[in-house]
């Protein structure tokens, strides 16, 4: 940065030296981050392969998901540049939610599908309450009011409510049985048909979003600054998608990095699922609590952080709201049905049959979130309310007894 000879060193000002020190510190930090992102997955997979203590295996492999998730999200964003919108949406819906997908696949393969259900539940709750609450708080802690497009959020929230009703049908069949209990085979058949319907709705939703009503979903968000409102509300001129920008990686290297990071994440989640029962016996915490809280939070921490900080950094809280709702819709309309169909294909029957507590917390989370954003306005205190709700629910999961695995798993 500075060109000088050794004889000129005393002439450097204190400001020059400080800037040079900052640059060198940033370079060292970058090296440490790169080394961490490469070393942690190797260490985590090694602990699993060597059959170390369950706690060490779980912690190291879960921490390894942090850099792996960052690389997966960055490469997915890079591969989405100049690509068709349908392919981009499929990439973001599957690998963009790699933690839920890969934990679910491994849990079904190990005949522990109740873990996959808990991770899906944790991903939905953390997005609806913690991430959305964090975005509202961080974007509005120094402002009177936040504004966003209520028409778009209403459409997405309505779709989300319909999706959750469909997912809750097996639970309703259990909680409110008829005079004669429904045979388990019929419940399993119903779950599979629900999965087919959800994936069909996703296809129609993509057509609705990308073709017939693309203008609605590409609309420019309101400025979050609380400016006086006249007869014409000011809107920015450029089109902004609900995606937080990331550093660009060329498509060739991005594809190779995506393949390596996805394979590593799949193996790490294999060891995570296998070590859950041992960790629960060591710590005394139930497996549902660990799957609902730690796995989604640590595995998606980079993604959650980018949504929260991006909501303020790019001056649009609507970016964060749309990113949260889109993530939840992708989990519930693609990841959850896909896991059911994968279990069907490999003779690992899976029914997403929540118990009363889980179904109630899920429904209340959707209702609270929808109510707070329905008028197109919010503030930092409403964000704190969502965060507080999430914390209370997590404490409730911690103190409640473990749910038997056979509540969800059907078949041999």
């Amino acid at each position: 940065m500075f060109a000088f000879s050794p004889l000129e060193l005393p002439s450097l000002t204190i400001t020059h030296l400080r800037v040079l020190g900052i640059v060198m510190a940033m370079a060292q930090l970058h090296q440490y981050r790169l080394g961490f992102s490469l070393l942690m997955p190797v260490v985590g997979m090694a602990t699993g392969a060597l059959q170390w203590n369950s706690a060490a295996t779980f912690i190291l492999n879960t921490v390894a998901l942090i850099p792996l998730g960052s690389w997966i999200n960055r490469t997915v964003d890079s591969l989405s540049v100049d690509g068709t919108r349908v392919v981009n949406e499929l990439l973001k819906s599957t690998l963009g939610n790699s933690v839920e997908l890969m934990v679910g696949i491994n849990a079904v393969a190990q005949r522990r599908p109740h873990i996959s259900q808990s991770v899906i539940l944790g991903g939905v709750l953390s997005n609806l309450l913690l991430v959305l609450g964090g975005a509202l708080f961080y974007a509005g802690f120094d402002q009177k009011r936040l504004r966003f497009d209520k028409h778009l959020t209403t459409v997405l929230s309505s779709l989300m409510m319909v999706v959750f009703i469909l997912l809750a049908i097996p639970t309703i069949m259990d909680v409110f049985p008829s005079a004669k209990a429904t045979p388990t085979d019929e419940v399993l058949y119903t779950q599979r048909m629900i999965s087919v319907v959800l994936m069909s709705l996703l296809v129609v939703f993509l057509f609705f979003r990308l073709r017939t009503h693309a203008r609605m979903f590409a609309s420019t968000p309101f400025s979050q600054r609380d400016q006086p409102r006249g007869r014409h509300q000011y809107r920015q001129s450029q089109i902004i998608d609900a995606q937080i920008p990331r550093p660009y990686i060329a498509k060739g290297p991005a594809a190779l990095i995506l393949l390596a990071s996805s394979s590593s994440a799949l193996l790490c989640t294999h060891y995570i699922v296998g070590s859950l029962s041992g960790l629960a016996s060591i710590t005394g915490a139930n497996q549902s609590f660990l799957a609902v809280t730690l796995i989604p939070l640590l595995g998606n921490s980079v993604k959650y952080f980018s949504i929260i900080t991006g909501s303020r950094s790019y001056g649009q809280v609507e970016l964060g709201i749309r990113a949260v709702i889109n993530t939840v819709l992708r989990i519930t309309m693609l990841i959850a049905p896909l896991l059911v169909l994968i279990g069907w294909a490999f003779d690992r029957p899976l029914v997403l049959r929540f118990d009363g507590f889980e179904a109630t917390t899920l429904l209340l989370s959707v209702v609270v979130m929808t109510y707070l954003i329905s008028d197109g306005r919010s503030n930092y205190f409403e964000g704190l309310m969502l965060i507080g709700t999430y914390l209370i629910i997590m404490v409730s999961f911690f103190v409640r007894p473990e749910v038997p695995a056979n509540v969800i798993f059907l078949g041999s």
Side-chain angles (χ1 to χ4, degrees):
M1 177 177 293
F2 303 105
F4 54 86
S5 66
L7 296 177
E8 295 172 329
L9 182 59
S11 64
L12 286 175
T13 65
I14 297 299
T15 302
H16 287 167
L17 292 175
R18 286 177 177 173
V19 172
L20 184 60
I22 293 173
V23 172
M24 294 177 63
M26 291 178 64
Q28 292 177 356
L29 178 61
H30 176 72
Q31 293 177 357
Y32 292 148
R33 290 179 61 187
L34 181 60
F36 173 79
S37 64
L38 296 177
L39 182 61
M40 278 308 304
V42 175
V43 173
M45 290 182 288
T47 58
L50 296 174
Q51 298 181 350
W52 280 18
N53 178 274
S54 296
T57 301
F58 177 86
I59 293 173
L60 291 175
N61 280 279
T62 305
V63 173
L65 292 180
I66 299 176
L68 289 175
S70 177
W71 283 113
I72 290 174
N73 289 327
R74 287 182 60 184
T75 52
V76 166
D77 290 344
S78 298
L79 292 174
S80 300
V81 176
D82 299 328
T84 60
R85 300 197 67 182
V86 175
V87 174
N88 296 347
E89 183 64 29
L90 290 177
L91 278 174
K92 294 175 183 177
S93 299
T94 52
L95 295 178
N97 299 289
S98 57
V99 173
E100 292 82 5
L101 176 63
M102 294 179 182
V103 170
I105 291 174
N106 279 295
V108 171
Q110 298 181 31
R111 295 183 179 273
R112 303 180 67 190
H114 59 289
I115 300 301
S116 65
Q117 172 176 300
S118 297
V119 171
I120 289 174
L121 178 64
V124 171
L125 292 177
S126 60
N127 274 281
L128 289 181
L129 300 176
L130 182 64
V131 181
L132 181 58
L136 294 178
F137 173 77
Y138 189 61
F141 69 85
D142 60 348
Q143 299 178 46
K144 283 187 176 181
R145 190 175 293 109
L146 299 170
R147 298 186 186 278
F148 42 88
D149 186 357
K150 67 178 181 180
H151 301 291
L152 179 59
T153 54
T154 299
V155 172
L156 294 175
S157 300
S158 300
L159 174 60
M160 194 161 50
M161 184 65 72
V162 172
V163 170
F164 283 131
I165 291 175
L166 290 177
L167 288 177
I169 286 179
T171 302
I172 296 172
M173 295 173 69
D174 267 351
V175 176
F176 304 103
S178 57
K180 184 178 180 181
T182 306
T184 55
D185 290 342
E186 299 299 327
V187 176
L188 182 60
Y189 174 79
T190 303
Q191 177 68 82
R192 291 169 175 171
M193 292 302 101
I194 291 172
S195 301
V196 173
V197 170
L198 283 174
M199 298 189 75
S200 301
L201 284 176
L202 177 63
V203 173
V204 178
F205 175 65
L206 291 179
F207 184 77
F208 176 84
R209 176 183 175 184
L210 304 179
R211 293 295 298 273
T212 61
H213 290 70
R215 192 177 185 87
M216 175 194 300
F217 289 89
S219 60
T220 56
F222 286 109
S223 172
Q224 74 176 38
R225 297 294 175 183
D226 189 22
Q227 299 174 345
R229 302 187 66 180
R231 295 182 61 184
H232 301 283
Q233 171 68 48
Y234 170 75
R235 295 173 74 88
Q236 294 185 352
S237 59
Q238 73 273 22
I239 293 179
I240 302 176
D241 195 8
Q243 175 183 343
I244 306 303
R246 295 177 180 274
Y248 177 73
I249 304 175
K251 290 187 180 294
L256 294 177
I257 295 173
L258 179 61
L259 178 61
S261 55
S262 299
S263 302
S264 300
L266 186 62
L267 188 55
C268 286
T269 53
H270 171 78
Y271 294 128
I272 289 173
V273 173
S275 62
L276 262 178
S277 58
L279 178 64
S281 61
I282 292 174
T283 61
N286 61 70
Q287 297 183 50
S288 297
F289 169 76
L290 298 173
V292 168
T293 56
L294 294 185
I295 296 178
L297 288 180
L298 291 177
N300 296 309
S301 57
V302 175
K303 179 180 178 181
Y304 292 170
F305 181 78
S306 66
I307 292 175
I308 293 173
T309 56
S311 300
R312 180 178 180 86
S313 301
Y314 297 95
Q316 300 292 341
V317 69
E318 186 175 317
L319 287 176
I321 296 174
R322 292 169 67 176
V324 166
I325 297 179
N326 284 333
T327 299
V328 173
L329 289 176
R330 289 163 182 163
I331 293 175
T332 54
M333 297 184 72
L334 181 62
I335 301 300
L338 185 61
L339 292 176
V340 173
L341 297 182
I342 290 175
W344 187 7
F346 291 94
D347 195 25
R348 297 289 191 272
L350 169 63
V351 175
L352 299 175
R353 188 160 52 185
F354 302 99
D355 61 27
F357 175 77
E358 294 171 338
T360 302
T361 55
L362 193 59
L363 179 61
L364 290 179
S365 300
V366 178
V367 171
V368 169
M369 184 277 302
T370 303
Y371 176 77
L372 290 182
I373 67 174
S374 61
D375 59 352
R377 297 180 298 176
S378 188
N379 53 63
Y380 77 91
F381 184 68
E382 292 184 345
L384 284 178
M385 291 170 58
L386 291 174
I387 295 174
T389 303
Y390 177 81
L391 295 176
I392 292 173
I393 290 176
M394 292 306 103
V395 171
S396 302
F397 271 100
F398 178 75
V399 300
R400 71 193 295 259
E402 180 67 77
V403 179
N406 59 9
V407 170
I408 304 156
F409 180 64
L410 300 178
S412 57

